[in-house]
Amino acid sequence: MAAPAYGAVLLVALALAVGAAAADTAPREEPTLPSTAAASADAAAAAVAGAGGAGISSNSVLVALLDSHYTELAELVEKAMLLQTLEDAVGRHNVTIFAPRNEALERDLDPEFKRFLLEPRNLKSLQTLLLFHVLPARHPAGSFPSTAGSHPTLSGEDLELAAGTNGSLRVSQSAVTRPDAVLRPDGVIHGIERLLVPRSVQEDFNRRRSLAAISAVLPTGAPEVDPRTHRLKKPAPPVLPGAPPVLPVWDAMAPGPSIAPAPAPGPGNGKSHFDGHSQVKDFIQTLVLYGGYNELADILVNLTSLATEMGRLVSEGYVLTVLAPNDEAMARLTTDQLSEPGSPENILYYHMIPEYQTEESMYNAVRRFGKVRYDTLRLPHKVVAREADGSVKFGQGEGSAYLFDPDIYTDGRISVQGIDAVLLPEDDTKPSPPVSAGPVRKAPAVTGSRKSKLRRGKLLEATCRMAGVFGQRSRLASCQ
C-alpha cells in the first residue's frame, strides 16, 4: 500500500509543477479600467480610500500629469505651489484636468500675459488660472452633455462643457484635441488646444497693464475751489471707493505759489531743475490709481506740511524711498497710536529712507550682507532689513513687514515700495514696565541748615551697635 500511495503523491506534485510553468510562460494581461459606471465608481472609491490612508499612489492622475507630455502645465503647477491643494482634492473625490498643449503655453500665449503670470506678486492670479482647469468631478469623454452646461471648478468659477453632433468636444472657448488622454482611477486628463483664462485673472491683468502705462494726470471734472477758504464751492457728488480725491492733490499740498518749494538745479545744464512739488503729487496720484493704498494717500493729502516738506527735500536734490503700508496694514493701527499729537507724522517719517532704493537693490543688499540698517527721516531711528522667504523683511518680531508690492513708483528721485504692515520703532513697540502698587516715597527735602542723613550699610550698623555696647560709640564719627 505504501508504494501506490507514494506514486500518487509524486504524480500530483508533477502536475502542480507543470501548471506553474505554464502560468509563467503565458502572456500576462495588462490591467484595464472597468468599463461600466459601477466598476468605475468602485475603483474611484478604492483610490480615494488609498489616498486618504497612505497619500497619493503612483497610479494617481497627479503623477500622470507630472510625467506626461504636458510639461509646461506641470511646471506651472509646481511654480504655483499647488501640488498639496491638488493632492487634497484628489483625496476627497475624482478630478478632471483640462491640460493645454505645450505649444499653447510656449508660442501661442501672449508674452506680456505670461510675464504677468510668472511675477511673484501675481501668484494668486496664477493659482486661480490653474485651478480653473480642474473640475472636482469625473467627466470622461462619454459624459459630456449635448447642450452646454456650467460646471464648478476648483477656482470657484464655472466652466462650460459641451459635445457636438459630429463627436467633437468643447470646453468653454477651447476644443478638446485629446479626449481621455490619461485615465486613472482617481481622475481624467483631457488635452485641449488653448489656455483657459477666467474672467477675474483677465481683469487683473488688464488693470495691471493699464497701471503700468499711467503717469499721474490732471483729473477732469474736479469741482471748483474757493481760493480764499480752499473749500468746495458746491457739494461734491459721491465718490466711489478707490476713485481719485475730489479735492485736487496739489491744492491740498500747496495752496499758493508762495509756499511752494523753490526748484533746485538739477543734472545737466543750469536750466534743468528738480521739481519736487510735481513729483510728490505724481507719486500720491499714482498710489490712488494703483489701488490698495488709499489710506496712505489720504494722510499725505491731509498732512500738507509733510507733503510740502517731501517736495522741498526732492527739490533741493535729495532722494527718498517710501515704504508704503497698504490699506489692510493701516486699518490695524489703533486709535491710541494715532491720537497723540504728531503721531501720524512720526509714523510716516519712520517709513521714509533718505536713499533711492528699488526692490532689486534692497534684495541684493540683504542677500549679500544678511542684515542692512537704513536711516529714516525719524532720527535717530533706523529700520532693519533682512532676507526672508525670497523677499525683503523690514523690522523685527511681530512688528515686521514684508516687501510684497515692489516698485509701485520709481522716477529716479522718489521710490515707493509696498509693504504689508506698519513699522514702528523698537521703543514704541515695547510695552511700558508695570508700575508697582507700593507706597510713594518722597525725596528728602534739602535745606541750607540741615543735611540729609546718609544711609549706612548693614556692616556699619552692626559695628555701631557693638561700639555702643562697649561705650565706644561716640568715638566713631560714622555712628553719630
Side-chain angles (χ1 to χ4, degrees), residues 125-151:
S125 297
L126 177 61
Q127 292 176 341
T128 303
L129 176 82
L130 295 176
L131 293 178
F132 187 63
H133 292 72
V134 184
L135 301 180
R138 188 181 186 90
H139 291 281
S143 67
F144 276 50
S146 57
T147 58
S150 298
H151 298 270

Side-chain angles (χ1 to χ4, degrees), residues 243-321:
V246 176
L247 186 65
V249 175
W250 50 87
D251 187 86
M253 287 173 46
S258 59
I259 64 174
N269 54 28
K271 297 181 179 180
S272 177
H273 295 84
F274 292 126
D275 189 2
H277 179 61
S278 299
Q279 288 176 284
V280 170
K281 291 187 303 186
D282 192 32
F283 104 77
I284 295 177
Q285 184 74 354
T286 302
L287 278 181
V288 174
L289 295 176
Y290 192 86
Y293 296 88
N294 294 332
E295 295 293 335
L296 179 62
D298 184 63
I299 291 178
L300 291 173
V301 169
N302 291 317
L303 293 177
T304 56
S305 59
L306 176 61
T308 305
E309 178 70 16
M310 292 175 61
R312 185 176 62 83
L313 289 174
V314 177
S315 294
E316 292 177 356
Y318 292 95
V319 292
L320 290 175
T321 297

